[in-house]
Amino acid sequence: MPRPVVLLDPHPRRAGSIFDPGQMRRLHALADVVTEDIDGRLPAALVEAALPRISAVLGQTDLPAERIARAPRLRAVINVEGNFLPNVDAGACAARGIEILSVAPVFAVPVAEMALGLALDLARGITAGDRAMREGKEAYGRFGCAGSVLLSRARIGLVGFGNLGRALRRLLEGFRPKILVHDPWLPASAIADESCRACGLDELLETSDVVFLLAGATRDNPGFIDAEALAKMRDGAILVLASRAAIVDFPALLAEAGRLRIATDVFPQEPVPADDPVRRSQMLLSSHRAGGIPAAFQDMGERVLDDLGLVLRGLPPMRLQRANPQTMALMRSTPGREGAMPKPAGAA
Amino acid sequence: MPRPVVLLDPHPRRAGSIFDPGQMRRLHALADVVTEDIDGRLPAALVEAALPRISAVLGQTDLPAERIARAPRLRAVINVEGNFLPNVDAGACAARGIEILSVAPVFAVPVAEMALGLALDLARGITAGDRAMREGKEAYGRFGCAGSVLLSRARIGLVGFGNLGRALRRLLEGFRPKILVHDPWLPASAIADESCRACGLDELLETSDVVFLLAGATRDNPGFIDAEALAKMRDGAILVLASRAAIVDFPALLAEAGRLRIATDVFPQEPVPADDPVRRSQMLLSSHRAGGIPAAFQDMGERVLDDLGLVLRGLPPMRLQRANPQTMALMRSTPGREGAMPKPAGAA
Amino acid sequence: MPRPVVLLDPHPRRAGSIFDPGQMRRLHALADVVTEDIDGRLPAALVEAALPRISAVLGQTDLPAERIARAPRLRAVINVEGNFLPNVDAGACAARGIEILSVAPVFAVPVAEMALGLALDLARGITAGDRAMREGKEAYGRFGCAGSVLLSRARIGLVGFGNLGRALRRLLEGFRPKILVHDPWLPASAIADESCRACGLDELLETSDVVFLLAGATRDNPGFIDAEALAKMRDGAILVLASRAAIVDFPALLAEAGRLRIATDVFPQEPVPADDPVRRSQMLLSSHRAGGIPAAFQDMGERVLDDLGLVLRGLPPMRLQRANPQTMALMRSTPGREGAMPKPAGAA
Amino acid sequence: MPRPVVLLDPHPRRAGSIFDPGQMRRLHALADVVTEDIDGRLPAALVEAALPRISAVLGQTDLPAERIARAPRLRAVINVEGNFLPNVDAGACAARGIEILSVAPVFAVPVAEMALGLALDLARGITAGDRAMREGKEAYGRFGCAGSVLLSRARIGLVGFGNLGRALRRLLEGFRPKILVHDPWLPASAIADESCRACGLDELLETSDVVFLLAGATRDNPGFIDAEALAKMRDGAILVLASRAAIVDFPALLAEAGRLRIATDVFPQEPVPADDPVRRSQMLLSSHRAGGIPAAFQDMGERVLDDLGLVLRGLPPMRLQRANPQTMALMRSTPGREGAMPKPAGAA
């Protein structure tokens, strides 16, 4: 049997940000690799020439039906960017049983830990307390923590229960919480299997002490967390936005900061304009820093290689997420934003 | 059988901060209560007159051997302050089988959640990231989180494994960490029972990604976390001081801030002097706000009533901590600090 | 949009054994149902007539490529028998993105509980002890349990880590075991994600206190647990066969009964011949009773309806198992055996 | 400081059944040991001579007030038998702060695993199924498991929630059960802390799918599980008696066997008389084999040494159970039964 061939076309990432040297050796042991180390997509000529031989694509290569038709050995397209472009013909892949896989799972634990950290910060006033000490305005002991609350045994609502929601649920185990989940794409039983309770969005918002917004942005849900939804939440309740800014009516969110304790890792426009009032708001602010940590990229290389190995052996992939053609068509995330920086400042 | 009598002498707390109205009714259902609602200790004459009848003391009343001798029905002394004064003759209590109980367990979960929140803050730069956004200096995506690390599967060291350490271990369950414990008062097997591994302090400091300092201050351990100990920790390791400032050489700690990521909830002098350099340090600062949250006081009333009920029925207490005469003699915590405030500012 | 149509062809099961009355109502609310309540496959004419309209098949209907071609709306084939017949053209389904789903997950928890029960029986001599009391030969206290061992903190080996292995791992959580897993279809990382350690078969057999055989029978693995493999196990080790008899060299297994503590739920020939020596062996015997309990069938109806509902909405199925064309081709389980009874006896 | 001295008087056990050779060396490293390796209590003269020097007693030595008065250094009495004789003056110990410790915790996990094994046997008919196969009367597949039930997500009632109940709760974690607890010596909050719900005995019996009887025998509770109590249980419910026969009206229990699924490890008279009808009953029978397994004795040695080490250092014991004078006075277990054997048979 000839050695399998894979096309490596990671732009906007670089191969070196996905595979460390050991992982790169493991990749070359699995397959011959067609690639070029450039800051951009692979040249069309290179792609076209490779199509007849490749068993897998690692990257965001344009794959219209015509190209898929010219790649008879192709078994898997592994998107390494996190979001899907509309440049792969999902129907043509389905019609050939070609797996479309996403690295999204690598961000689940990093974002979940950040979301928990933001919630604990709001529950205990960690950032505010540090600021107070630097300004000489701190209060000590119980006078300093009148509004502090526990997450242990709290009533926690998760809006969205994909990889991220599941990872967060797992982190919360030790807190013995009551977890409500709203996810219209899941049957109640799948939620009960994870020891959570499915419920409607209104009940979740009205009764939760802490709400995590973890839903992806779809064609159908822009701004569904709007002023009316936010108004259902209790005074002092905690709200952490950890998925996509597009699911929230951001001005309404800003208007509730103070009555609610709010943290966000995402913004409608990134970089946030220098004079955006959110910068001076009572929200706890994080500049889209929840997912892209070094451990996620380390994990990405490992998961890609694990599933590439399985797929090349004719076994089902286990560690990446299978893209579903129907849900892919619904998703509305803009890729390529990582690393964007505010105008006035250099990278950290 | 006559109704039991208890002496309620909560200073420096007030009865109303320990028992909410429902709990107060439950107290009166359990026993007759001798008390006065004053801002100070009960008058000696009141105490002396009550001694022959009381079954329990709730508070910090002076109980030298002579008073204990005059209280033949006394079965329990329930300290509601958290720290022990040297004003109860523990030997005389032991010689009569009188339980000395502490409310310390009510602070375990609140402090553990704060400690975890501080660790997550340091791991992800939450406070620093919020400050950067307010100053217009933030970086986005992976450029914003180059040094960020996960707690999941991290190597975590707990120095001290009492109520607080156990509560923190439980919170960490969902992170699937490897936990090392150093606690010279515990056999290795008691630590293994909690799925942790006992080890020496040096190994713990040298190998842990995150170290939590959770040990009480004793006669024997002032400043045992000194420059030499801190130097054993890896660059970038996380250190959270959540128990007592006295166990750390504070100037040495300050000198390591930056090389290590450090958070502290306690300070050698509280309020911290206005010009103390710690206020401008790279440490994450919390003004002794980890324990005294409203939920702790709610829990305090419940636990005191639970154990009072058990003791009055001749059953062993279950929900407060038994003071051990030997370890009591070793403890060196200064009580009465709660609510102290920095000179320049009012209470929050 | 017209109401979806499903073909219900459950033979060798009956519709009433899959759906209780409430579930049947739920099915009719989801779709129009084409079926006949007969003890056998649906008539070909009925199937052929329905093909153009059906969105899903619930059952084991023959689906060669020609039939699939005539069913343009078909989105899912839900096998309700547990094993796959070679009567569905998996390639033709893959080429259309038609999901082939199996109800196998409903048996995971029932079989896992039985497997644990068998292991505890062997560890403590429960069946043997009951027999001894009936025969007046029992010993009491420690004289009665000289060979008894604990599962808590034991070293446990799982051969095969699909639905069943994962369900068993979850049941074992409270025992705090060290779990080794051998599964050649899984990367080590997928096993580590479940807090187990991947290892080779030899190491697993040589070092485990308890071995659970949970692997399916494939074209490649008949009798792979043979005399040589069994000889690697320690004297007195526990071995539970809970998946398929075909993976074991059964005479070799019988020969080790006594040196090893062995339980089996499956046999090479079922019903077991009346004079088969296994009936008088030292093995603990169970007549293929691990999976087909009433709760499994209750769960089956629920999972089928959950995933049918998702598929009809264009969402990915969540609660049944996706059949993988490659692994389907490898599987070698004979369906249709349930309910077979030994000649000499009536049903229990 | 002189080396501490301990009196080792383990009858009815032998030193070699408590301490393995390594543990014996560890004992001698901790203290000088006064003992004689005889099959009976230490001679009074030896005990009397040692009293002025001993820091601890390991065993069941008579310790009336006069002897305690003559042992000024005595800090701990460690009963290694499991039950308490009325031969230690608990009041005199309390009056000196001498700890009375029990090895009962070593039996918690062994008995809990046996109790779970018995419950799984009843839920799945394991012993009955093995018997059927030996008699050629087995049914296969779903015809063989019509009455089989799951423990997963079942409603489980624990009567008694001491060491044993807590160990069993931990084993059950993976089954995700709803656990009800009835224990009149515990406040509801202590039960809630373990994620169980406190309830009255009647509700527990009426609503549980599985009931575990785990309560010790006290002066106040002989036969409290009587015909009336048993009648409250549902048809087919599972009942496992794992603590003491005295808490049950045994003839009433026998009368319910068949309607209920019952297992017992204890009997009113042990050895059970040869002609006792229980031997032919429908109950699952175990001859007091739940606790005294080799691992318990291994653990006993370790725990005794751990706590002896702590006590000799002036630290609180951690791994044995503190005897409470009040509850000791209530307990009604007859010691010395272990190893008793039925007349007709030799040891296994």
Side-chain angles (χ1 to χ4, degrees):
Chain A
M1 202 168 95
R3 262 171 70 78
V5 178
V6 304
L7 188 74
L8 175 59
D9 186 14
H11 179 80
R13 303 199 196 283
R14 299 297 283 262
S17 78
I18 302 169
F19 299 119
D20 66 26
Q23 292 171 332
M24 194 61 86
R25 283 191 295 275
R26 196 176 147 207
L27 173 61
H28 284 279
L30 282 171
D32 289 338
V33 180
V34 174
T35 193
E36 268 184 37
D37 188 17
I38 53 178
D39 186 12
R41 293 287 182 79
L42 290 187
L46 186 71
V47 172
E48 295 289 337
L51 287 174
R53 295 181 297 137
I54 58 174
S55 293
V57 171
L58 311 183
Q60 288 69 241
T61 311
D62 290 333
L63 291 171
E66 311 83 75
R67 281 188 164 176
I68 291 168
R70 299 191 45 236
R73 295 182 180 168
L74 188 61
R75 294 188 191 171
V77 177
I78 303 182
N79 176 305
V80 297
E81 205 281 327
N83 298 304
F84 284 102
L85 295 174
N87 68 339
V88 174
D89 190 316
C93 287
R96 281 262 307 283
I98 297 167
E99 303 274 8
I100 304 178
L101 299 170
S102 152
V103 296
V106 307
F107 301 112
V109 169
V111 177
E113 288 202 8
M114 180 63 122
L116 177 57
L118 294 172
L120 284 168
D121 186 300
L122 294 172
R124 307 304 290 276
I126 291 174
T127 292
D130 176 86
R131 194 188 301 137
M133 281 209 72
R134 292 179 193 281
E135 296 174 352
K137 295 181 180 165
E138 78 277 12
Y140 289 79
R142 67 189 170 90
F143 296 101
C145 46
S148 290
V149 296
L150 291 181
L151 296 201
S152 289
R153 299 183 182 278
R155 197 167 166 106
I156 292 179
L158 309 184
V159 178
F161 198 58
N163 296 315
L164 171 51
R166 286 162 201 265
L168 181 55
R169 187 211 66 77
R170 190 161 155 166
L171 292 185
L172 288 168
E173 276 174 11
F175 293 81
R176 273 65 173 166
K178 298 173 205 68
I179 303 184
L180 303 177
V181 169
H182 176 69
D183 190 324
W185 290 4
L186 291 181
S189 52
I191 290 164
D193 276 353
E194 299 271 332
S195 304
C196 301
R197 182 164 76 74
C199 78
L201 182 61
D202 285 359
E203 180 189 351
L204 185 151
L205 295 171
E206 286 163 9
T207 65
S208 295
D209 303 310
V210 185
V211 172
F212 291 96
L213 300 176
L214 311 173
T218 71
R219 199 183 52 197
D220 302 331
N221 73 3
F224 80 103
I225 302 294
D226 57 13
E228 190 181 357
L230 293 167
K232 294 183 197 294
M233 292 183 66
R234 300 173 180 166
D235 289 359
I238 289 169
L239 179 66
V240 176
L241 173 55
S243 54
R244 298 289 171 186
I247 67 170
V248 176
D249 176 341
F250 226 79
L253 188 74
L254 199 54
E256 287 282 23
R259 186 183 77 81
L260 303 176
R261 310 183 213 199
I262 303 177
T264 185
D265 185 54
V266 289
F267 301 88
Q269 189 183 350
E270 298 179 7
V272 172
D275 58 351
D276 193 313
V278 76
R279 292 184 183 274
R280 295 177 303 279
S281 75
Q282 289 193 56
M283 286 202 271
L284 178 61
L285 306 172
S286 172
S287 53
H288 210 133
R289 297 168 60 248
I293 72 173
F297 292 95
Q298 174 76 24
D299 192 25
M300 188 182 294
E302 182 179 308
R303 287 177 185 257
V304 167
L305 292 168
D306 284 343
D307 273 3
L308 179 63
L310 290 169
V311 166
L312 294 178
R313 291 169 62 199
L315 294 169
M318 300 287 307
R319 309 205 68 231
L320 299 170
Q321 187 171 17
R322 277 170 144 140
N324 181 274
Q326 283 90 346
T327 51
M328 269 176 72
L330 298 176
M331 299 311 286
R332 279 286 177 274
S333 296
T334 317
R337 225 173 13 191
E338 82 165 15
M341 274 168 296
K343 283 292 166 341
Chain B
M1 203 167 96
R3 262 172 73 78
V5 179
V6 303
L7 189 74
L8 175 59
D9 186 13
H11 179 81
R13 303 198 196 283
R14 299 296 282 260
S17 77
I18 302 169
F19 299 118
D20 66 26
Q23 292 171 332
M24 193 62 85
R25 284 191 293 277
R26 195 174 147 207
L27 172 62
H28 284 278
L30 281 171
D32 290 338
V33 180
V34 175
T35 192
E36 268 183 39
D37 188 17
I38 53 178
D39 185 12
R41 294 287 182 78
L42 290 187
L46 186 71
V47 173
E48 295 289 337
L51 286 175
R53 295 181 298 137
I54 59 176
S55 293
V57 172
L58 311 184
Q60 289 67 243
T61 312
D62 289 333
L63 290 171
E66 311 81 75
R67 281 188 165 175
I68 291 168
R70 298 192 43 237
R73 295 181 179 168
L74 188 61
R75 293 189 192 172
V77 177
I78 303 182
N79 176 305
V80 297
E81 205 280 328
N83 297 304
F84 284 103
L85 296 173
N87 69 338
V88 173
D89 190 317
C93 287
R96 281 263 308 282
I98 297 166
E99 302 274 8
I100 304 178
L101 299 169
S102 153
V103 295
V106 307
F107 300 112
V109 169
V111 177
E113 287 203 8
M114 180 62 122
L116 177 57
L118 295 171
L120 284 167
D121 187 300
L122 294 172
R124 306 305 290 277
I126 291 175
T127 291
D130 176 85
R131 194 188 301 138
M133 280 210 73
R134 292 179 192 282
E135 297 174 352
K137 296 180 179 166
E138 78 278 11
Y140 289 78
R142 66 188 171 93
F143 297 100
C145 46
S148 289
V149 295
L150 291 181
L151 296 202
S152 289
R153 299 185 182 275
R155 197 169 167 104
I156 292 179
L158 309 183
V159 178
F161 199 58
N163 296 314
L164 172 52
R166 286 160 201 266
L168 181 56
R169 186 209 67 77
R170 191 162 154 166
L171 293 185
L172 289 168
E173 275 173 12
F175 293 79
R176 273 62 174 170
K178 298 174 205 69
I179 303 185
L180 303 177
V181 170
H182 176 68
D183 191 323
W185 291 4
L186 290 181
S189 51
I191 290 164
D193 276 352
E194 299 272 331
S195 304
C196 301
R197 184 166 75 75
C199 77
L201 182 60
D202 285 0
E203 180 189 352
L204 185 150
L205 295 171
E206 286 163 10
T207 65
S208 295
D209 302 311
V210 185
V211 172
F212 291 96
L213 300 176
L214 311 172
T218 70
R219 197 182 53 197
D220 301 331
N221 73 2
F224 79 104
I225 303 294
D226 56 14
E228 190 181 358
L230 294 167
K232 294 182 199 294
M233 292 183 67
R234 300 172 180 169
D235 289 359
I238 288 170
L239 179 66
V240 176
L241 173 55
S243 55
R244 298 291 171 184
I247 67 171
V248 177
D249 175 341
F250 226 79
L253 188 74
L254 199 54
E256 288 281 24
R259 186 183 77 82
L260 304 177
R261 309 183 213 199
I262 303 177
T264 186
D265 185 54
V266 289
F267 300 88
Q269 189 182 348
E270 295 180 8
V272 172
D275 58 351
D276 193 313
V278 76
R279 291 184 183 272
R280 294 177 304 279
S281 74
Q282 289 192 56
M283 286 201 270
L284 178 61
L285 306 173
S286 173
S287 54
H288 209 132
R289 297 169 60 247
I293 72 175
F297 292 96
Q298 174 76 23
D299 192 25
M300 188 182 295
E302 182 179 307
R303 287 178 185 256
V304 166
L305 291 168
D306 284 343
D307 273 2
L308 179 63
L310 290 169
V311 166
L312 293 178
R313 292 169 62 200
L315 293 169
M318 300 288 306
R319 308 203 71 231
L320 299 171
Q321 187 172 17
R322 279 170 143 139
N324 179 274
Q326 282 89 347
T327 51
M328 271 176 73
L330 298 176
M331 300 310 286
R332 279 285 175 277
S333 298
T334 317
R337 223 171 15 186
E338 83 165 15
M341 274 170 294
K343 284 290 167 342
Chain C
M1 202 167 96
R3 262 172 71 79
V5 178
V6 304
L7 189 74
L8 175 60
D9 187 12
H11 178 80
R13 303 200 195 282
R14 299 296 283 261
S17 77
I18 301 169
F19 299 118
D20 66 26
Q23 292 172 332
M24 194 61 87
R25 283 191 294 276
R26 197 175 146 206
L27 172 61
H28 284 279
L30 281 171
D32 289 339
V33 180
V34 175
T35 193
E36 268 184 37
D37 187 18
I38 53 178
D39 185 11
R41 293 285 182 80
L42 289 187
L46 186 70
V47 172
E48 297 289 337
L51 287 174
R53 295 182 296 136
I54 58 175
S55 293
V57 172
L58 310 183
Q60 288 69 242
T61 311
D62 290 333
L63 290 172
E66 311 83 74
R67 283 190 163 173
I68 291 168
R70 299 191 45 236
R73 295 183 179 168
L74 188 61
R75 294 189 193 170
V77 177
I78 303 182
N79 176 305
V80 297
E81 204 281 328
N83 298 304
F84 284 101
L85 296 172
N87 68 339
V88 173
D89 191 316
C93 287
R96 281 262 308 282
I98 297 167
E99 301 274 7
I100 305 178
L101 299 170
S102 153
V103 295
V106 307
F107 301 113
V109 169
V111 177
E113 287 203 8
M114 180 63 122
L116 178 57
L118 294 172
L120 284 168
D121 187 300
L122 294 173
R124 307 304 291 274
I126 291 175
T127 291
D130 177 85
R131 193 188 300 137
M133 280 210 74
R134 292 178 192 282
E135 296 173 352
K137 295 180 180 167
E138 79 278 12
Y140 289 79
R142 68 188 169 93
F143 296 101
C145 46
S148 291
V149 295
L150 291 181
L151 295 202
S152 289
R153 299 183 182 277
R155 197 169 166 103
I156 292 180
L158 309 183
V159 179
F161 198 58
N163 296 314
L164 172 51
R166 286 161 202 265
L168 181 55
R169 186 211 65 77
R170 190 162 155 165
L171 292 185
L172 289 168
E173 275 174 12
F175 294 79
R176 273 64 173 168
K178 297 172 206 68
I179 302 185
L180 303 177
V181 169
H182 176 69
D183 190 323
W185 291 4
L186 291 182
S189 51
I191 290 164
D193 276 353
E194 298 271 333
S195 304
C196 301
R197 184 165 75 74
C199 77
L201 182 60
D202 285 0
E203 180 189 351
L204 185 150
L205 295 171
E206 286 164 8
T207 65
S208 294
D209 302 311
V210 185
V211 172
F212 291 96
L213 299 176
L214 311 172
T218 71
R219 198 183 53 197
D220 302 330
N221 72 5
F224 79 103
I225 302 295
D226 55 14
E228 191 181 357
L230 293 167
K232 295 184 197 294
M233 292 183 65
R234 299 173 180 167
D235 290 359
I238 288 170
L239 179 66
V240 176
L241 173 55
S243 55
R244 298 292 172 184
I247 67 170
V248 176
D249 176 343
F250 225 80
L253 189 74
L254 199 55
E256 286 283 24
R259 185 181 79 81
L260 303 177
R261 311 184 213 199
I262 302 176
T264 185
D265 185 55
V266 288
F267 300 89
Q269 189 182 348
E270 296 180 8
V272 172
D275 58 352
D276 192 313
V278 76
R279 290 184 183 274
R280 294 177 304 281
S281 75
Q282 290 192 56
M283 285 201 271
L284 178 62
L285 306 172
S286 173
S287 54
H288 209 131
R289 298 169 59 248
I293 72 174
F297 292 96
Q298 174 75 25
D299 192 25
M300 188 181 295
E302 181 179 308
R303 287 178 185 256
V304 167
L305 292 168
D306 284 342
D307 273 2
L308 179 63
L310 290 169
V311 166
L312 294 177
R313 292 169 62 199
L315 293 169
M318 301 287 306
R319 310 204 69 231
L320 299 170
Q321 187 171 18
R322 278 170 142 141
N324 180 273
Q326 282 90 346
T327 52
M328 271 175 72
L330 298 175
M331 298 312 286
R332 280 284 176 275
S333 297
T334 317
R337 223 172 16 190
E338 83 163 15
M341 275 169 295
K343 284 291 169 338
Chain D
M1 201 169 96
R3 262 171 71 78
V5 178
V6 304
L7 189 74
L8 175 59
D9 186 14
H11 179 81
R13 303 198 196 282
R14 300 296 283 262
S17 77
I18 303 170
F19 299 118
D20 67 26
Q23 291 171 333
M24 193 61 86
R25 283 191 294 277
R26 197 177 145 204
L27 173 62
H28 284 280
L30 281 172
D32 291 337
V33 180
V34 174
T35 193
E36 268 184 36
D37 188 17
I38 53 177
D39 185 10
R41 294 286 182 78
L42 289 188
L46 186 71
V47 172
E48 296 289 338
L51 286 175
R53 295 181 298 137
I54 59 176
S55 292
V57 172
L58 310 183
Q60 288 68 243
T61 311
D62 290 333
L63 290 171
E66 311 83 74
R67 280 188 165 175
I68 291 169
R70 299 192 43 236
R73 295 181 179 169
L74 188 61
R75 293 189 193 171
V77 177
I78 303 182
N79 175 306
V80 296
E81 205 280 327
N83 297 304
F84 284 102
L85 296 172
N87 69 338
V88 173
D89 189 316
C93 287
R96 282 262 307 281
I98 297 167
E99 302 274 9
I100 304 179
L101 299 170
S102 153
V103 295
V106 306
F107 301 113
V109 170
V111 177
E113 287 202 9
M114 180 64 123
L116 178 58
L118 294 171
L120 284 168
D121 187 301
L122 295 171
R124 306 306 290 275
I126 291 175
T127 291
D130 176 86
R131 195 188 300 139
M133 280 210 74
R134 294 178 190 282
E135 297 174 351
K137 295 180 179 165
E138 78 278 11
Y140 289 79
R142 66 188 171 92
F143 296 101
C145 46
S148 290
V149 295
L150 290 182
L151 296 201
S152 289
R153 298 183 183 277
R155 197 169 166 104
I156 292 180
L158 308 183
V159 179
F161 199 58
N163 296 313
L164 171 52
R166 285 161 202 265
L168 181 55
R169 186 210 66 77
R170 189 163 155 164
L171 292 184
L172 289 168
E173 275 173 12
F175 293 79
R176 273 63 174 169
K178 299 172 204 67
I179 302 184
L180 303 177
V181 169
H182 175 69
D183 190 322
W185 291 4
L186 291 181
S189 51
I191 290 164
D193 276 352
E194 299 271 332
S195 303
C196 302
R197 183 165 75 75
C199 78
L201 182 60
D202 285 0
E203 180 189 351
L204 185 151
L205 295 171
E206 286 163 9
T207 65
S208 295
D209 302 310
V210 185
V211 172
F212 290 95
L213 300 176
L214 311 172
T218 70
R219 198 182 53 197
D220 302 329
N221 73 2
F224 80 103
I225 302 295
D226 56 15
E228 190 181 358
L230 293 167
K232 294 183 197 295
M233 292 182 67
R234 299 173 180 167
D235 290 359
I238 288 169
L239 179 66
V240 176
L241 173 55
S243 55
R244 298 291 171 183
I247 67 170
V248 177
D249 176 341
F250 226 79
L253 188 74
L254 198 55
E256 287 281 24
R259 187 182 77 81
L260 303 178
R261 309 184 213 197
I262 303 177
T264 185
D265 185 55
V266 289
F267 300 88
Q269 189 182 348
E270 296 180 10
V272 172
D275 58 352
D276 192 313
V278 77
R279 290 184 183 274
R280 295 177 303 280
S281 73
Q282 289 192 57
M283 284 201 272
L284 178 62
L285 307 173
S286 172
S287 53
H288 209 132
R289 298 169 59 248
I293 72 174
F297 292 96
Q298 174 76 24
D299 192 25
M300 188 181 295
E302 182 179 306
R303 287 177 185 257
V304 167
L305 291 168
D306 284 343
D307 273 2
L308 179 62
L310 290 169
V311 166
L312 294 178
R313 292 170 61 200
L315 293 169
M318 300 287 306
R319 309 204 71 231
L320 299 171
Q321 187 171 16
R322 277 170 144 140
N324 180 273
Q326 283 89 345
T327 52
M328 271 177 73
L330 296 176
M331 299 311 286
R332 279 287 176 275
S333 297
T334 317
R337 224 172 16 189
E338 83 163 14
M341 274 170 294
K343 283 295 168 338

